[in-house]
Amino acid sequence: MYQQMSRSIVITGGAGFIGSHVVRLFVTKYPDYKIINLDALTYAGNLENLRDIERSSNYFFEKANILNPDDIDRVFLTYQPDGIIHLAAESHVDRSILSPLDFVYTNVIGTVNLLNAARQHWKNDVKEKRFYHISTDEVYGALGETGFFTETTAYAPNSPYSASKASSDHFVRAYGETYHLPVIITNCSNNYGPNHFPEKLIPLFINNIMNQKPLPVYGDGLYTRDWLFVKDHAAAIDLVFHKGKDHETYNIGGFNEWKNIDLVKLLCKLMDEKLGHAPGTSEKLITYVKDRPGHDRRYAIDATKISKELGWKPSVTFEQGLSQTIDWYLQNTEWLKHVTSGEYQQYYELQYSK
Ligand code: NAD
Ligand code: DAU
């Protein structure tokens, strides 16, 4: 049990989608902790995500790259962290298909750099230390019509993204076994919510509906994902960080499976209502496009372990979470404008003009 002893926690990738929700939760819930956001601010990192808490006295931002061991060393020496929550990653499957090596560098080598730093700086005393690695359900590969991923499902990654995350999980586990580093891993299903970068299905489609642009559904649209509201993932991370057991893995998911096309139709309906459009307006934008290569048919997480052992469960229904998410995007058009200018335009062209 890793109780309230830690006072200095480095959260990597804290300027990204999930990381920013984790940083906010820890900064506001634990005023006695020092929370250090270590982020390289890639296209996906955005300090606007943290405007509301950036002046908190227990929050520190360090622009640092996990590919650079000197950067990591500097942060360890400055803050002497006793906890690491590692979210920094290249996270988008389509980009991993365009550019696999970027994923090997950041997700595999970046993670090993961080493990090396923890090993080196904690070598004399790993008591009350914790290296918490945030991973994905995609490492387990694809499911057929039935069944769930459990913590003992064999790894079978199918995309360069999931292969890089699987590799990083293996390194984390190996450092736990070989060097007795106090590691813990969680594998979570698809997140959605405010601050989600509009390259992923839900925010991309919300943005396109707002701009009356086509909604590019891959393949037959019958691929299934298990969706979880990002704040429920952040709450699970808080719980696992404080109450999880060293060397354990926990799966996190919403028991909330949706076929893409059903989700897109629900999104269209909610958007029509909120924008005051006639029913059916947004659905007309649905356009079936070429499938994603190696597209995993179905993901579904069995979250029994975290629920039974740590008492976690999601706090909102999908309809509530999705409605809150849409409202956030409708109220944050400046945020959307900023993140969809520049590099986003080139990526969009490359990905969707094929
Ligand atoms: P994101 O792409 O929104 O954010 C990634 C963050 O990492 C950004 O702030 C970026 O600047 C930072 N970063 C990237 N490379 C870096 C580097 N070399 N050094 C330092 N910082 C760097 O990602 P996300 O969707 O918030 O995902 C966060 C983590 O959660 C990832 O590890 C991802 O694999 C995992 N995950 C995501 C989901 C999901 O649905 N989004 C589900 C399960 C697990
Ligand atoms: O399962 C967890 C994973 O969920 C995380 O590890 C990843 O970081 C995260 O990006 C997400 O991966 P997916 O590939 O499932 O998410 P994405 O939003 O890219 O796609 C969701 C589904 O929608 C998938 O079946 C592909 C489809 N899709 C996606 C896009 C971007 C489309 O049909 N059209 C699109 O334009």
Side-chain angles (χ1 to χ4, degrees):
M1 195 86 91
Y2 183 87
Q3 286 296 6
Q4 309 288 323
M5 299 304 292
S6 175
R7 292 289 180 269
S8 181
I9 303 167
V10 168
I11 299 179
T12 72
F17 165 48
I18 302 171
S20 62
H21 288 276
V22 177
V23 166
R24 177 176 298 98
L25 178 65
F26 275 69
V27 165
T28 52
K29 187 168 172 186
Y30 303 107
D32 293 340
Y33 289 10
K34 236 188 237 168
I35 303 300
I36 303 101
N37 173 11
L38 183 167
D39 200 295
L41 300 182
T42 67
Y43 79 92
N46 184 353
L47 291 177
E48 279 182 61
N49 292 343
L50 293 163
R51 282 285 176 258
D52 56 323
I53 57 103
E54 68 185 359
R55 287 177 192 280
S56 307
S57 57
N58 62 337
Y59 170 72
F60 303 84
F61 172 67
E62 288 289 338
K63 187 167 188 310
N65 195 319
I66 56 169
L67 286 174
N68 182 350
D70 291 342
D71 275 9
I72 304 175
D73 250 7
R74 171 171 57 79
V75 173
F76 266 82
L77 288 170
T78 309
Y79 299 97
Q80 306 285 325
D82 36 25
I84 305 291
I85 305 179
H86 177 36
L87 296 106
E90 288 293 338
S91 69
H92 190 37
V93 174
D94 292 325
R95 287 188 194 250
S96 82
I97 296 166
L98 295 170
S99 200
L101 261 183
D102 291 346
F103 287 68
V104 178
Y105 290 132
T106 297
N107 298 358
V108 185
I109 297 173
T111 299
V112 176
N113 283 339
L114 210 54
L115 287 163
N116 283 339
R119 198 186 146 212
Q120 188 200 325
H121 288 271
W122 293 346
K123 63 175 175 264
N124 294 327
D125 179 17
V126 292
K127 255 192 22 226
E128 303 298 342
K129 305 286 196 296
R130 170 144 285 171
F131 188 108
Y132 178 4
H133 178 59
I134 307 297
S135 193
T136 171
D137 60 357
E138 301 203 7
V139 298
Y140 299 122
L143 291 165
E145 288 292 305
T146 57
F148 294 91
F149 296 133
T150 71
E151 287 78 1
T152 56
T153 301
Y155 276 30
N158 292 315
S159 73
Y161 163 69
S162 53
S164 68
K165 290 297 291 187
S167 174
S168 65
D169 292 10
H170 290 322
F171 272 104
V172 172
R173 190 182 164 279
Y175 271 59
E177 293 298 311
T178 307
Y179 306 115
H180 309 294
L181 205 64
V183 299
I184 199 157
I185 300 174
T186 50
N187 296 83
C188 188
S189 64
N190 285 63
N191 285 216
Y192 69 97
N195 310 93
H196 205 182
F197 193 81
E199 62 188 352
K200 312 279 166 59
L201 179 75
I202 290 180
L204 187 140
F205 279 33
I206 291 175
N207 186 42
N208 283 13
I209 292 172
M210 286 167 74
N211 292 292
Q212 291 295 292
K213 280 174 62 177
L215 305 176
V217 173
Y218 295 161
D220 62 6
L222 299 178
Y223 294 84
T224 300
R225 296 292 182 266
D226 172 4
W227 293 94
L228 180 68
F229 193 50
V230 64
K231 292 183 191 191
D232 283 328
H233 187 190
I237 289 172
D238 177 19
L239 202 57
V240 171
F241 183 78
H242 289 99
K243 304 236 162 79
K245 287 199 200 113
D246 283 346
H247 309 288
E248 289 284 325
T249 284
Y250 300 86
N251 279 355
I252 306 172
F255 284 111
N256 177 41
E257 288 182 52
W258 285 80
K259 288 197 176 13
N260 290 342
I261 192 64
D262 296 335
L263 186 162
V264 170
K265 286 183 176 165
L266 172 63
L267 192 61
C268 287
K269 178 173 158 289
L270 291 172
M271 290 290 288
D272 283 347
E273 286 166 12
K274 288 180 192 281
L275 292 168
H277 291 164
T281 306
S282 299
E283 272 201 29
K284 290 196 193 110
L285 299 170
I286 293 175
T287 311
Y288 287 91
V289 299
K290 204 170 120 215
D291 210 349
R292 170 186 282 174
H295 199 168
D296 286 330
R297 194 62 168 166
R298 173 172 167 260
Y299 302 144
I301 280 280
D302 179 348
T304 306
K305 179 174 171 182
I306 187 170
S307 154
K308 278 211 173 127
E309 292 187 11
L310 304 182
W312 174 84
K313 63 175 171 33
S315 70
V316 294
T317 65
F318 190 50
E319 284 74 4
Q320 288 167 335
L322 200 55
S323 176
Q324 279 185 41
T325 302
I326 297 170
D327 289 344
W328 187 86
Y329 282 93
L330 292 175
Q331 287 156 15
N332 287 275
T333 48
E334 279 304 305
W335 182 94
L336 259 178
K337 218 183 276 169
H338 293 166
V339 301
T340 54
S341 61
E343 191 270 351
Y344 183 80
Q345 299 295 332
Q346 286 134 40
Y347 166 73
Y348 202 93
E349 178 68 18
L350 191 63
Q351 177 63 21
Y352 293 102
S353 66
K354 293 178 271 184

